[in-house]
């Protein structure tokens, strides 16, 4: 989220005005960082889904409902 702040955008625009070799390196690493950020967001979403299913397992042992099993298996199949 900090990558999208106005300060960062201002600095990137300022660096674009200067034509130097370091900007190419910065641009590459900035792009890699953005990709890793998106991957981390996807990982958090996936782990939250797993946590929810495991919570259903631990909380719902006494009130067995096979619906959460189907959801969990569908989630695992998506991998």
């Amino acid at each position: 989220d900090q990558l999208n702040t106005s300060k960062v955008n201002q600095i990137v625009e300022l660096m674009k005005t200067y034509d130097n070799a370091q900007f190419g390196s910065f641009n590459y690493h900035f792009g890699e960082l953005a990709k890793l950020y998106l991957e981390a967001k996807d990982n958090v979403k996936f782990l939250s889904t797993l946590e929810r299913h495991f919570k259903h397992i631990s909380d719902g042992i006494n009130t067995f409902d096979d619906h959460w099993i189907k959801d969990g298996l569908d989630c695992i199949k998506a991998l």
Side-chain angles (χ1 to χ4, degrees):
D1 292 333
Q2 294 177 357
L3 296 177
N4 296 325
T5 62
S6 62
K7 274 259 194 233
V8 172
N9 289 333
Q10 288 174 351
I11 292 170
V12 169
E13 289 301 317
L14 182 65
M15 288 184 73
K16 285 181 183 178
T17 62
Y18 296 106
D19 188 24
N20 60 16
Q22 291 182 351
F23 180 71
S25 175
F26 170 80
N27 203 22
Y28 169 77
H29 290 293
F30 192 78
E32 287 295 311
L33 185 61
K35 282 193 253 180
L36 292 172
Y37 171 71
L38 289 176
E39 182 179 345
K41 279 180 59 174
D42 287 343
N43 288 343
V44 167
K45 188 192 311 185
F46 173 73
L47 290 174
S48 296
T49 302
L50 282 180
E51 181 182 31
R52 187 177 75 242
H53 289 298
F54 284 130
K55 189 169 185 159
H56 286 298
I57 290 171
S58 67
D59 291 345
I61 294 295
N62 294 332
T63 57
F64 185 75
D65 182 11
D66 65 339
H67 179 71
W68 59 265
I69 292 175
K70 183 180 180 302
D71 288 346
L73 290 175
D74 289 343
C75 180
I76 292 171
K77 286 179 188 176
L79 295 175

